Amino acid sequence: MPPPLPTPTRTATATTLGSAAEASRLGPGLALSAVATVVLLGVSRLLAPVTNGALSPLVLALLAGAALGSALGRFVPRGGRAARFTAQVGPGTDRVARTVLRAGVVLLGLQLSIPDVLALGWRGIAVVVITVTGTFAAVLGLGRLLRVPRATALLVATGFSICGAAAVSAMTSVLERDPRADPAGDAGAARLRDNVAAALALVTGYGTVAIFVLPPLAGALGLTDHQAGLWIGASVQEVAQVVAAAGTVSATALATATVTKLARVVLLAPLVAGAGALLARRAALTAAAGDDVVPDAPEDVTTTRGRRAPLVPGFVLGFLAAVLVRSTGVLPDVVTDTAQQLTTVLFVAAMFALGTGVDVPRLARTARRPLVLGALGTVVVTGLALSAVLLLAP
């Protein structure tokens, strides 16, 4: 006799129980991330007059999350309350680190208007394109010379050339579909998380240094306010860091730097699409060789014959859609201002959640070469941007 068909009541009950179980599993981590976000935003606001905006809330969130995660993983015996606490909050913080960060990338598009970017003129746009493409290629090459892990070099190159945390997040989604990704399971996930953490630490750390270094250098080099704004906007990683650096020069430099920085963000989608295309080609070659399933793909990624990973992740398409909506000019200022504030909130929550999964002592032991790569990448992006500004925008 065939089994009885499920009744609507049974289906509804199963759905309710499943939702309750999912909420119970994710709840502790989501609650921790929410509380930490509120606290960190308050602390950042209190510290802003002292640091003059140099300490971004994103940097503070990443540091706080890493401090908590490292303390629980290193200083508390295994199997104790800390281990149980980590197991409870882990699923929720992992969800925040992935989903919330990508939602922030989508909202970032509402800060970007194509007419504003075009207002830079061909010279300003050329400075941006030269800096982005040159930095990306140079950092990848330096990563190979320094024997930095391929994933780390790709993430650092993307973060330094485009837009820091948002770019690292977008490229991470590509790496998760990479047939040559790290081995499956917890070890592979931890290794990819360390790669992401290293890249985020480098782009936020060196970007913070640039806040203090570039404005005095711009004055010493005799750059005009427009040139200084172009240089800072084309070479500093995070939007908040660009604002903090250019704001110390002049209002003209700040306006130019902000638009230049957002022009770099426009290139996020084609860069990720290009990486996705290379990945799709590699997956097709793997399938043609007769491998139904790539053995070293991450556990949560299915790379099978006949199923191709999308060239552009869905949240990057959402980012592009947000850019188009903002470019129409139909959104009132209150909407764009609210979206900007919400973007910061989402990024802070995601940075804290990412940090909780980082083992700082282990990262310090393995991040010496990436640290050198970040230093060289900083020299490359600032030097290349300055050269382009002096050549194209005298």
Side-chain angles (χ1 to χ4, degrees), residues 133-175:
T133 56
T135 300
F136 185 77
V139 173
L140 282 181
L142 289 169
R144 285 192 292 269
L145 289 176
L146 293 170
R147 292 185 295 174
V148 172
R150 182 177 55 87
T152 303
L154 180 60
L155 292 171
V156 172
T158 307
F160 271 72
S161 60
I162 302 288
C163 56
V168 170
S169 170
M171 194 57 72
T172 300
S173 68
V174 172
L175 285 174

Side-chain angles (χ1 to χ4, degrees), residues 211-224:
I211 295 174
F212 302 99
V213 174
L214 293 193
L217 275 181
L221 293 171
L223 300 182
T224 66

Side-chain angles (χ1 to χ4, degrees), residues 57-85:
L58 274 66
V59 177
L60 186 63
L62 186 62
L63 292 175
L68 176 62
S70 299
L72 291 175
R74 183 173 178 82
F75 299 112
V76 182
R78 294 181 180 179
R81 294 182 180 178
R84 292 194 296 271
F85 175 78

Side-chain angles (χ1 to χ4, degrees), residues 239-260:
V239 175
Q241 294 167 343
V242 168
V243 171
T248 63
V249 178
S250 70
T252 300
L254 175 59
T256 303
T258 302
V259 176
T260 304

Side-chain angles (χ1 to χ4, degrees), residues 27-393:
L30 297 179
L32 175 64
S33 298
V35 172
T37 300
V38 173
V39 172
L40 289 167
L41 287 172
V43 172
S44 177
R45 180 166 296 184
L46 290 175
L47 293 177
V50 179
T51 62
N52 196 26
L55 184 61
S56 163
L58 274 66
V59 177
L60 186 63
L62 186 62
L63 292 175
L68 176 62
S70 299
L72 291 175
R74 183 173 178 82
F75 299 112
V76 182
R78 294 181 180 179
R81 294 182 180 178
R84 292 194 296 271
F85 175 78
T86 302
Q88 288 176 346
V89 302
T93 54
D94 287 346
R95 179 65 61 88
V96 171
R98 292 170 59 87
T99 306
V100 174
L101 183 56
R102 295 176 183 187
V105 173
V106 173
L107 285 181
L108 183 64
L110 293 181
Q111 301 180 31
L112 185 60
S113 170
I114 293 177
D116 288 343
V117 173
L118 295 178
L120 284 173
W122 74 267
R123 294 178 184 272
I125 294 175
V127 168
V128 171
V129 173
I130 291 171
T131 303
V132 168
T133 56
T135 300
F136 185 77
V139 173
L140 282 181
L142 289 169
R144 285 192 292 269
L145 289 176
L146 293 170
R147 292 185 295 174
V148 172
R150 182 177 55 87
T152 303
L154 180 60
L155 292 171
V156 172
T158 307
F160 271 72
S161 60
I162 302 288
C163 56
V168 170
S169 170
M171 194 57 72
T172 300
S173 68
V174 172
L175 285 174
E176 289 171 347
R177 296 172 171 84
D178 193 339
R180 296 187 300 174
D182 292 325
D186 293 340
R191 194 171 294 119
L192 180 58
R193 188 165 56 239
D194 283 349
N195 289 332
V196 174
L200 290 172
L202 292 174
V203 297
T204 54
Y206 283 110
T208 300
V209 172
I211 295 174
F212 302 99
V213 174
L214 293 193
L217 275 181
L221 293 171
L223 300 182
T224 66
D225 289 351
H226 177 70
Q227 289 177 319
L230 270 178
W231 185 30
I232 292 171
S235 57
V236 180
Q237 285 78 16
E238 296 286 350
V239 175
Q241 294 167 343
V242 168
V243 171
T248 63
V249 178
S250 70
T252 300
L254 175 59
T256 303
T258 302
V259 176
T260 304
K261 171 60 186 174
L262 294 177
R264 288 166 67 191
V265 179
V266 173
L267 298 178
L268 173 63
L271 186 65
V272 172
L278 291 176
L279 171 61
R281 182 174 181 273
R282 186 180 301 135
L285 292 175
T286 302
D291 295 331
D292 288 334
V293 180
V294 179
D296 58 352
E299 191 175 35
D300 60 342
V301 179
T302 26
T303 310
T304 58
R305 181 182 299 174
R307 179 176 180 182
R308 298 179 60 187
L311 294 182
V312 184
F315 72 97
V316 177
L317 295 177
F319 163 81
L320 288 175
V323 171
L324 293 176
V325 171
R326 171 64 190 273
S327 300
T328 61
V330 300
L331 294 179
D333 291 342
V334 64
V335 173
T336 56
D337 291 344
T338 302
Q340 183 174 359
Q341 295 174 8
L342 183 56
T343 301
T344 300
V345 172
L346 295 178
F347 278 150
V348 168
M351 290 299 102
F352 173 80
L354 278 168
T356 59
V358 176
D359 185 341
V360 172
R362 183 181 65 200
L363 187 61
R365 290 193 301 268
T366 60
R368 295 173 184 174
R369 289 177 181 173
L371 190 64
V372 175
L373 178 63
L376 294 176
T378 301
V379 173
V380 168
V381 69
T382 54
L384 190 58
L386 178 61
S387 299
V389 167
L390 293 176
L391 179 64
L392 296 172

